[in-house]
Structure formats: structure tokens, C-alpha cells
Amino acid sequence: MDIDLITNVLFAMIRSGTPLLLVALGEVVCEKSGVLNLGQEGMMLMGAVTGFIVSVSTGNLLLGVIAGMMAGVAMSLLFGSLALGLRTNQVATGLALTIFGTGLSAFVGTDYVGKPLAGIAPLAIPLLSDIPLLGTVLFRHDPLVYTALILLTLTWAFFRFSRPGLMVKAVGENPDSATSIGLPVLTVRWLAVSFGGAMAGLGGAYLSLAYTPLWSEGMTAGRGWIALALVVFASWRIGRVLLGAWLFGLASIMHLVLQGMGASISSNLLATLPYLATIVVLVILSSNQSKIRMMAPMSLGKPFHSRM
Amino acid sequence: MHNAELFETRSKSSSSRIRCQGISKTYPGVVANNAVDLDIQPGEIHALLGENGAGKSTLMKILYGVTLPDAGQIWWNGQPVSIPSPAKARELGIGMVFQHFSLFETLTVTENIALALPPGEARNRKHLAGRIQDISIHYGIPVDPDRHIHSLSTGERQRVEIIRCLLQNINLLILDEPTSVLTPLEVEKLFESLRKLAAEGCSILFISHKLNEVQALCHSATVLRNGTVTGACDPRMSSAQEMASLMVGSHTELGVPYPKVSGGESVLEISSLNAEREDPFGTTLKNLSFCVGQGEILGIAGVAGNGQKELLKLLSGERLTHQQDTIRFSGKSIGRFNPAARRKAGMAVVPEERLGRGAVPEMGLHDNGLLTGFLGGLIRRGFLRHKKINRFAEQVIQQFSVKAHGVAAEARSLSGGNLQKFIIGREILQDPKLLVCASPTWGVDVGAANTIHQALIALRDQGAAIVVISEDLDELFQISDRIGALCHGQLSPVRPVPGTTVEQVGSWMTGAFDATSVPQPEEQIEEHPQEPQEATH
């Protein structure tokens, strides 16, 4: 295999891993607070369509990105008002959100299907991008790729060093104890859910504004689900989210690479790789009760009823 | 005149740390607190005594701001205050150690404490760890700030809770039944720390129903019954009997002595039972051997977390042994039998957790009766026989005087004591050859505990073998015929109760098995195999 191919594959891997990284990052924070939001796919699609519409109408890509995030937040607030406010079943509510988002985005975006848009341009970072191989792979991306990496680092530091980070973990592990020492459980969860929505919206906007600058119905193609699997794959660790996002990104472009090399493996078959990997991780995790207990947020998916 | 009255109340309360007057709280159908008065001075260790359901927890929730009272006034250092939230309580200087710890297992000691402190104080974790160590040395409460909570024992977790309160510069520490999870030695150490704390001016509200501890520690006591204050006394001057009658209302005999017997032919034999722990929070059982005979009660003491859970699972069949013959029941090897097969063979089990393991919270009592009573003709060819099922539940309710709204009442709607009576009754009515029960009277009021004890003794006298696993030493000495203790997954020698002292079992609970080897006074045991039950009032 020649060096150019490797460079290209790694470059594409990072690109296709970025939306997964963003969405999974949001979902990790959300799940660490004890809320399981299965509406990622719906929130992504709303982010994608809103970002695209705003960018096309205003001609301003940054505005589009922000609008995409806001759309994600709006969707997550809808989820929050049901799952946190009315304490509905989180799994059912999340699934409903995905179905709702899929339909609404298709409806809203009808007039924009096939419209052209000059997407977000790559930004080569001076000096760094000149490093052979590494510079090409890492430092010639569009700004959102860098943003994703910065957000990842910030989130990591948030959980590692900050008190609010501890609060999120505490609320996700045992909301009753958290209440008794005076932590605002619902506020923490609302914020975590909103962050999850913003990240999913951003991930969607990345698809429609940078990855493939266009809008088509259902263009996320299951990436929301892959991101959910990715969270489990990463066993709720921020560092592993990055590793997983790139691995899953690689899996999703593998069929192109293999076609290029003349091998013929069904792309559908390759698309199952992320899920297979997730199942393997789940099996490893559940082989040991302590691993589950130490890593998974203990109250995940359980509606919180204050005992007061 | 109104002003004068107000002035008088204020001046009266000005020396008190906290004073409550006329606190009332009504929940639908229950008056939890009815015009309760409480007065605690600075540096005073004050006991709040009462049975379960007497209103202790409601009062303490009101003091800690978890619940608002319907009526009444609280004065804090002479100032009238309202405490709408735990945050406000902490701001005033009230700290609380809950019975079920509010700690986060995946975080370290320092992180757990940092979460409860105001944001500014917890910013520098190294500095905080230093403060934790200072306090722990000063009050003699050793903890390691860097350890994760899940690796700590129950006693150590309690120390973390206490230190967490102390770091908040509190003036009133509320302790909810703090000794129920400790060994006698740990209790003594806790009391020393509390006395030191009180000597420095901190008031302590000690909630308990263990009279001997209240006598050993507290300066004054308020007794609650059915939500009303029935008396206040100086526990150092009053007898346990006096306080008990304030608690339960009549002259209830404390610790009715039941006749001790020695067992007949052995029903359950455990030989060299080893079991690797299933998770890192569990205990590995090492080489357990004991047997239980017909018509005797074997008590197994020990602080929770020393292998009781594991032993119960292995006995009930929730977990199977490696070899069939490590557990023999009525001469049959049953180590690899599942729970249903063991029940068929005549074994019954009462687990420690009533809701969720002993009974399904959302199901009615009739269905909960069916859960383990399915062998007694309640099912025919796979179909439920509702009449029989209802009659079975009815029978349990009547014979064990369970207070419930009929057979369809949801299990979770019953109080702890009533549900426990139902669960134990359900097993006893099936006439088991062997009954294994864990903490049969945990969190149960004195009246219900007496009913349960009498039922167990009656079952014993019918010839059943009974194993009682409990943390309550008084209970074990009261009802068991032989006793042993678990520590770190090992079983102490098993001795007849007559001739064994509480101190001896206390040292077994800490793992000192050899130091207490004394000749067994086997021949001193009196035999009263079928003696009629002593009546209690």
C-alpha cells in the first residue's frame, strides 16, 4: 500500500469520525448525568436541516452552525420536558424523538433538497500542516474538526478537574444521595440533556455544512445510532470516545478503501462492524460486574422522583 | 400583651441551640408528628427515642429541611427560622448522617466530601485532603482521603459521612441510627469521638431505639410514640424498662427469655463450603462448616458485609455450590439444586430485603403469597386457583396479625414490620423443615419483633431447623440456641448460647476466633423441647 493511500484513508477516517465524536460526546455527558436520550438521530437530522436552511438563506455558514446547535438544543428541551419534567420513560421518549425528528426534518427541508451550498472550507493550520504525513492527516481539516477535538479536551478536563463535573457523575450514580447533600439533580440533568442536544445538532450541522454540503432526507444514515453504540463502546470514558469515533469512522469508509484496492466485500456487511465491535465490548464489560458498576452510570435511564 | 408573650418565648429559647415547639406534620391518613416539642442545648447529646413509625424520621427530616412542617416553629440559637431545604440547614450549621449513606461509590473520599462543601472551599483538593486528615486525627476518626468509597467497609463509610459533616463547621449533628451497622468495638470508638465533639460545644441528636446505647452516651432523651412526645428523661438516671414503656406505651417485656434447647438429628449440614466472591464488593467465603439440628435455632452474627449475603444466596440456591455435597439437607446433597428444588425438599428462605426480594412491591399480598406458596396446591395444571390463593394470604394476615387493607393490598403499602410479619408468616405456614432467615426484625418495631420471635420459637418447637442471620446481637442471644459469627467470610466456632457471652461473640465478629476458646459447657444446657410458649403482654 502506498503512502498516499494511507494518508488519504487516515484523513477520511478523521473526517467521518467527527460527527460521531460530537454526538457521542454529548451523549456521554447526558448519560453520565443518568439520562438516556435515544433521540440522537432525530436531533442530528434537525441540526442538519436547520443548519443547511439558515446557511442557504443567509449565506453565513457560522450562523448555520449555530442554528444547527440551537435546533438540537430545542429538540433536547422537548425531550427534557417529557423525560425530566413529566418523568416519562426515557427509552420510549427518546425513540419518539428520533421518529419525530426524522419526519419533521424531511418536512421542513423539502424545498431545500438538492440546493447547492459551498460548504465549510478546510483550514490548514500554519506550520503544523507542513509536517509530513501527520500534518496532512491532522491539520488540513475544516474548523469543525478542530472544534470537535477542542470540545473533547474540554469535556475531559471538565470531568477530570472540575466540581460541576463531579456533580454530573454524582447525580448519575445516585440521584437520591445527591439530593440529600443538596445537589440540584434536575438542574444538572437539564443542563446535561441540553449539552447533548447542542452536540447532536452540531454533529448534524457538520454533515450538511462540511462533510457533504447538501440536504437530503435522512442524510445522517444511522450515525446517531452509531454514536449511541459508541458511548457504550467507550464505556463512558471521554478518551475512549475519540478512539472509538476514529475506529468507527474508519469502519464506515472501509468499503471505499477496499473497492479502491480491488477487493469486493459488501459495504452493507462492513457497515455492521461498529455494531459488532459494540457487542464485543458489551460482552467484555458485562463479564465483570465490577466493571459495569465502576463505569456505567448507575441510575441511567431511571426517572428521578424526589423523595421529598 | 402579645409582644410580652413573644418576648418570653424568645428569652426561654435563647440559650438553646435548637428548640422546636408544636411541630406537626400530617401525611394522607397518618399523623406523623403531633405538636412535638424538642429542646437541645449546646454541647448536649440528645437522644430521640421511638419505635419505627413513631415519627422520628419525620421530625429529623423537618430539622434537616427535607420536609416542611404543617405547623410549629423552630428556633435556632434563639432566632426563629424556617428550614426549607437541606442547603439551608447546612448553612445554619446542621449536619446529618443518614442511615443509608449518601455517598458515591465511584468517587474518592475527597471527591465525595468536596461535593458537599460550598464550591469555594473545595477548589483545592490537596488542601481539602489535608483538612480531612486533620479532622480525622483530631476526633480519632481514621479515613484515607484518596480511597474510593466502594473499597471501604460500612464503618469506614460512616466515618466519611461524619467527617463530611464536621468539615462544614456544624453546631448540630443529627445521627440516624448510627450504630446499626457497627461492631461493638466500632460503636465504642464512635461514642468516644462523639463525646469529644460534644465537649467542644457541638450539639448531637442521636436517633436510636437501642436503649443501652442511649444510656451509655446521651445526656437527655425525648421519647416519641405515634407522633407524640410521650416523655423526656435523663437516660443516665432512668432504667431501660422505664424508657421502653414510654416508647411502646405499655409494660412490654424487653428481651423475653425463651427457653434454650439443643437440637435433634441434624437437618442441614454444611461442610467445607468455599465460594469465591462474585464481585469486588462481595466477600469470599472460606471453609465454612456447620450443621443445624431438628428443633433448634442457629444464630449467625456478624457485621453486614462479612459474607452474610453470600451465605444466604448459597443456602437459598440463588447461587449454586461447586460440589453437590457441600450442602446436605435431610441427608440429601443439594448443593447444586435451584431454589425451587430446594423449596420442594422443604426449605424456606426469608431474605433480608423485604421489598424486591422477599416480596414484589407492586403486587398484592395474595400474589406475593403465591410467589413462594406455589407448592401448597395453589396451582392446578398450570392454572391459578384464586380462591385458594386468597385464602392462603388471608390465613397469613390473620395468624400473624398483619395490618393491611385486605389481601389485595400492595406489598409496598405495608409498613416494614407488617410486611415482614407477612413474609415470615408465609414461609412458616408452609411448614418448612428448614427456615433460613436474614435480619428477621431489622427495622421492625418491638411489637412486631415479638410476634416474629414467638413465631420462630413456635416453629422450632414443632421440630423445624432454623438459621437466623442477623446483625442484632440482642436478638440472637434472645432466640438462638447456638451461635456463631461471620468475619471476613470465615465462621467462628459455633457454641451453645448458654455459657457464651456477648463479649465473646463481639470478639468473634472482629475475627478473633482463637482468643476466646473456652471449654464448652455442653451439659449445662437445659432441655425444654416442647415447653409451652411464655406469654408476653
Side-chain angles (χ1 to χ4, degrees):
Chain A
M1 230 196 303
D2 64 300
I3 201 86
D4 270 358
L5 181 64
I6 295 177
T7 323
N8 284 337
V9 168
L10 291 180
F11 183 82
M13 169 188 90
I14 293 179
R15 252 169 80 76
S16 62
T18 296
L20 301 178
L21 174 60
L22 286 166
V23 180
L25 199 57
E27 181 65 11
V28 165
V29 174
C30 188
E31 288 191 13
K32 267 183 180 282
S33 82
V35 184
L36 179 65
N37 185 351
L38 296 182
Q40 303 301 330
E41 186 83 356
M43 297 195 294
M44 275 184 93
L45 280 168
M46 285 307 292
V49 76
T50 314
F52 189 78
I53 292 173
V54 170
S55 293
V56 167
S57 340
T58 64
N60 187 333
L61 287 166
L62 180 63
L63 222 55
V65 170
I66 293 171
M69 286 176 79
M70 297 318 286
V73 172
M75 289 290 281
S76 71
L77 293 182
L78 178 63
F79 172 82
S81 54
L82 293 168
L84 299 178
L86 301 176
R87 302 186 182 104
T88 57
N89 180 302
Q90 295 178 5
V91 171
T93 313
L95 290 175
L97 193 73
T98 284
I99 297 168
F100 174 67
T102 310
L104 187 65
S105 63
F107 173 72
V108 174
T110 325
D111 295 342
Y112 292 84
V113 176
K115 282 214 175 170
L117 175 75
I120 299 173
L123 174 75
I125 295 182
L127 296 176
L128 287 178
S129 58
D130 296 333
I131 306 170
L133 191 65
L134 206 63
T136 325
V137 172
L138 278 177
F139 300 110
R140 287 170 189 268
H141 287 281
D142 56 80
L144 285 184
V145 173
Y146 309 132
T147 311
L149 292 174
I150 293 168
L151 282 169
L152 178 98
T153 319
L154 289 178
T155 312
W156 174 80
F158 172 75
F159 281 118
R160 188 81 179 75
F161 300 114
S162 85
R163 179 185 154 88
L166 272 186
M167 283 166 69
V168 174
K169 273 197 269 186
V171 163
E173 186 190 317
N174 190 340
D176 289 325
S177 296
T179 310
S180 71
I181 62 167
L183 300 184
V185 173
L186 280 179
T187 312
V188 168
R189 289 193 166 175
W190 270 107
L191 290 173
V193 166
S194 313
F195 179 77
M199 288 299 101
L202 183 59
Y206 176 81
L207 287 178
S208 68
L209 298 180
Y211 195 66
T212 48
L214 56 82
W215 165 250
S216 68
E217 244 176 69
M219 70 180 294
T220 50
R223 283 186 180 84
W225 299 112
I226 298 185
L228 277 164
L230 175 53
V231 173
V232 179
F233 175 86
S235 49
W236 297 271
R237 298 288 169 89
I238 303 293
R240 292 185 200 167
V241 169
L242 180 66
L243 179 77
W246 284 353
L247 270 178
F248 286 14
L250 184 64
S252 68
I253 55 160
M254 230 21 222
H255 64 281
L256 296 175
V257 179
L258 290 175
Q259 268 170 20
M261 290 167 62
S264 68
I265 296 180
S266 156
S267 65
N268 290 332
L269 207 57
L270 283 165
T272 62
L273 279 180
Y275 301 104
L276 283 176
T278 304
I279 291 171
V280 170
V281 170
L282 273 176
V283 170
I284 295 172
L285 266 180
S286 56
S287 68
N288 190 329
Q289 271 195 328
S290 74
K291 279 188 188 154
I292 280 281
R293 243 170 112 173
M294 283 307 290
M295 291 176 182
M298 292 284 279
S299 72
L300 184 60
K302 291 177 195 148
F304 172 61
H305 296 272
S306 170
R307 283 181 306 179
M308 294 186 188
Chain B
M1 183 179 138
H2 183 74
N3 274 343
E5 249 179 43
L6 199 71
F7 176 74
E8 205 190 311
T9 16
R10 278 193 71 164
S11 62
K12 255 202 297 191
S13 61
S14 61
S15 66
S16 304
R17 170 73 23 94
I18 192 166
R19 197 168 75 87
C20 312
Q21 202 173 43
I23 298 285
S24 295
K25 176 77 190 176
T26 311
Y27 290 111
V30 202
V31 180
N33 278 176
N34 183 17
V36 172
D37 297 343
L38 182 73
D39 194 334
I40 307 176
Q41 302 299 316
E44 176 186 326
I45 306 181
H46 193 103
L48 186 59
L49 274 166
E51 292 190 284
N52 279 75
K56 286 176 302 181
S57 42
T58 305
L59 183 60
M60 117 207 140
K61 276 185 194 162
I62 289 171
L63 292 181
Y64 193 58
V66 179
T67 311
L68 275 174
D70 297 335
Q73 179 63 51
I74 301 173
W75 285 266
W76 176 253
N77 290 330
Q79 300 295 319
V81 288
S82 83
I83 310 175
S85 69
K88 172 73 178 175
R90 279 198 303 274
E91 200 182 296
L92 288 173
I94 301 173
M96 171 140 183
V97 175
F98 289 89
Q99 200 175 359
H100 302 285
F101 303 143
S102 46
L103 296 172
F104 305 100
E105 290 199 349
T106 56
L107 306 183
T108 66
V109 171
T110 313
E111 285 173 334
N112 265 283
I113 291 176
L115 274 173
L117 295 178
E121 278 184 57
R123 200 146 287 149
N124 186 340
R125 301 260 168 85
K126 278 216 181 90
H127 176 67
L128 180 61
R131 278 176 67 200
I132 292 171
Q133 233 145 23
D134 290 346
I135 290 227
S136 89
I137 292 165
H138 181 76
Y139 292 107
I141 314 173
V143 295
D144 178 352
D146 295 325
R147 285 191 49 196
H148 280 89
I149 298 296
H150 65 77
S151 69
L152 300 182
S153 74
T154 328
E156 286 170 313
R157 289 178 195 207
Q158 185 180 59
R159 289 183 220 148
V160 177
E161 286 259 349
I162 293 175
I163 288 183
R164 182 160 78 177
C165 287
L166 295 183
L167 271 169
Q168 299 169 37
N169 297 321
I170 49 159
N171 292 315
L172 172 64
L173 178 63
I174 306 175
L175 297 159
D176 184 14
E177 309 220 348
T179 58
S180 55
V181 294
L182 302 180
T183 61
L185 191 68
E186 281 177 316
V187 169
E188 204 33 63
K189 280 192 184 149
L190 171 70
F191 283 5
E192 275 169 34
S193 307
L194 293 181
R195 286 190 192 108
K196 178 155 193 183
L197 188 61
E200 290 176 5
C202 184
S203 306
I204 294 169
L205 182 59
F206 185 84
I207 294 158
S208 179
H209 57 242
K210 292 187 183 162
L211 298 172
N212 53 345
E213 290 175 358
V214 169
Q215 284 180 311
L217 178 74
C218 300
H219 305 136
S220 58
T222 298
V223 187
L224 281 180
R225 184 173 78 236
N226 292 333
T228 316
V229 175
T230 50
C233 61
D234 183 340
R236 292 166 297 187
M237 317 295 273
S238 318
S239 71
Q241 190 64 54
E242 275 173 66
M243 289 194 283
S245 56
L246 285 174
M247 270 167 70
V248 296
S250 58
H251 279 275
T252 302
E253 286 276 329
L254 283 181
V256 193
Y258 294 107
K260 304 292 178 196
V261 300
S262 62
E265 200 184 320
S266 110
V267 173
L268 177 75
E269 285 170 45
I270 309 289
S271 45
S272 318
L273 174 63
N274 286 290
E276 194 61 34
R277 61 180 172 192
E278 285 175 308
D279 65 305
F281 310 107
T283 311
T284 301
L285 294 182
K286 293 164 215 142
N287 208 17
L288 260 53
S289 295
F290 62 90
C291 61
V292 195
Q294 265 179 352
E296 74 160 345
I297 299 183
L298 170 70
I300 296 180
V303 177
N306 275 292
Q308 290 91 332
K309 241 195 288 179
E310 289 76 5
L311 177 60
L312 187 76
K313 271 192 174 177
L314 286 159
L315 289 179
S316 70
E318 285 163 85
R319 195 177 159 195
L320 306 179
T321 57
H322 291 297
Q323 281 127 23
Q324 186 78 275
D325 59 355
T326 41
I327 303 180
R328 290 177 63 81
F329 176 50
S330 307
K332 244 195 294 179
S333 298
I334 57 153
R336 300 198 57 75
F337 279 27
N338 66 20
R342 292 187 195 200
R343 280 190 177 272
K344 250 177 221 154
M347 184 191 274
V349 178
V350 176
E352 187 177 348
E353 304 99 315
R354 273 158 228 157
L355 288 173
R357 203 144 153 238
V360 180
E362 295 84 10
M363 280 190 186
L365 292 181
H366 46 9
D367 292 340
N368 271 303
L370 174 67
L371 277 182
T372 71
F374 58 93
L375 293 167
L378 303 184
I379 297 173
R380 188 169 49 194
R381 291 192 204 96
F383 288 96
L384 302 179
R385 304 168 81 178
H386 285 290
K387 265 191 200 155
K388 284 209 159 191
I389 292 170
N390 288 345
R391 209 177 307 143
F392 178 61
E394 196 91 51
Q395 212 182 339
V396 177
I397 290 173
Q398 267 171 13
Q399 284 196 22
F400 293 85
S401 45
V402 178
K403 276 185 217 156
H405 298 291
V407 292
E410 285 188 357
R412 63 174 167 196
S413 71
L414 270 64
S415 76
N418 280 310
L419 183 58
Q420 187 70 355
K421 282 193 276 187
F422 181 83
I423 294 173
I424 290 201
R426 172 182 79 186
E427 303 306 335
I428 287 181
L429 283 191
Q430 295 176 50
D431 226 349
K433 277 191 245 166
L434 169 70
L435 175 67
V436 180
C437 48
S439 307
T441 60
W442 186 85
V444 163
D445 58 71
V446 177
N450 272 339
T451 314
I452 290 168
H453 288 161
Q454 282 165 23
L456 289 176
I457 297 285
L459 183 67
R460 173 196 78 178
D461 292 343
Q462 284 166 24
I466 301 177
V467 180
V468 176
I469 303 172
S470 173
E471 285 181 74
D472 187 342
L473 271 186
D474 297 339
E475 164 174 71
L476 290 177
F477 270 88
Q478 194 186 346
I479 62 171
S480 352
D481 303 305
R482 287 189 302 142
I483 191 164
L486 275 174
C487 180
H488 300 309
Q490 286 175 302
L491 186 67
S492 72
V494 175
R495 297 270 160 72
V497 169
T500 307
T501 62
V502 177
E503 288 73 30
Q504 229 170 346
V505 178
S507 64
W508 289 345
M509 284 163 72
T510 58
F513 297 160
D514 300 320
T516 54
S517 297
V518 281
Q520 294 191 27
E522 201 77 62
E523 54 281 20
Q524 287 174 12
I525 309 162
E526 295 173 61
E527 285 203 36
H528 304 274
Q530 294 300 325
E531 186 170 293
Q533 201 58 82
E534 264 185 57
T536 46
H537 310 282

